[in-house]
Amino acid sequence: MSLTLPAGVALPVTASALVLTQQPGNGDNGGQGEDFGKSSPVGFLVLILFLVAVAFLVRSMTKHLKRVPASFDDPPAEAAPAPPEAKAEQPEAAEKPAKDSPATKADS
């Protein structure tokens, strides 16, 4: 389906479009002087500083996101680690006492 305008409407529409798109002829370019659209070295440095700042922010965010747990839910009771059991290897009394300890003097 194509859009076609009747001949009586097409001429005023195209004429008004041409008039509206023309620049004013009185020397006023709407603030678009000779240097319009050109960037300065200061603007380029600001852009580079913003890019470096974004790179550091992304790096920091990545580090923090790696520390986030997969789930914030409490672990189930079955998966909880068992309490440590007492060592039954050797009692502490069987260890050799030091030379200057009071237990050695009391035994002699």
Side-chain angles (χ1 to χ4, degrees), residues 7-101:
V9 178
L11 183 62
V13 169
T14 55
S16 61
L18 288 174
V19 169
L20 291 173
T21 58
Q22 290 178 355
Q23 291 287 330
N26 59 4
D28 179 27
N29 293 332
Q32 298 179 3
E34 179 181 319
D35 294 332
F36 181 76
K38 297 179 183 176
S39 63
S40 67
V42 175
F44 181 68
L45 288 176
V46 169
L47 178 67
I48 295 298
L49 287 175
F50 281 144
L51 291 175
V52 169
V54 167
F56 278 116
L57 286 172
V58 168
R59 185 175 149 204
S60 175
M61 182 181 61
T62 304
K63 285 182 181 179
H64 282 88
L65 284 177
K66 286 180 181 178
R67 295 180 189 161
V68 174
S71 174
F72 289 103
D73 296 332
D74 291 333
E78 300 168 357
E85 297 180 14
K87 294 182 181 179
E89 295 173 7
Q90 293 180 353
E92 291 183 22
E95 291 181 12
K96 247 187 188 178
K99 290 183 179 179
D100 296 333
S101 69

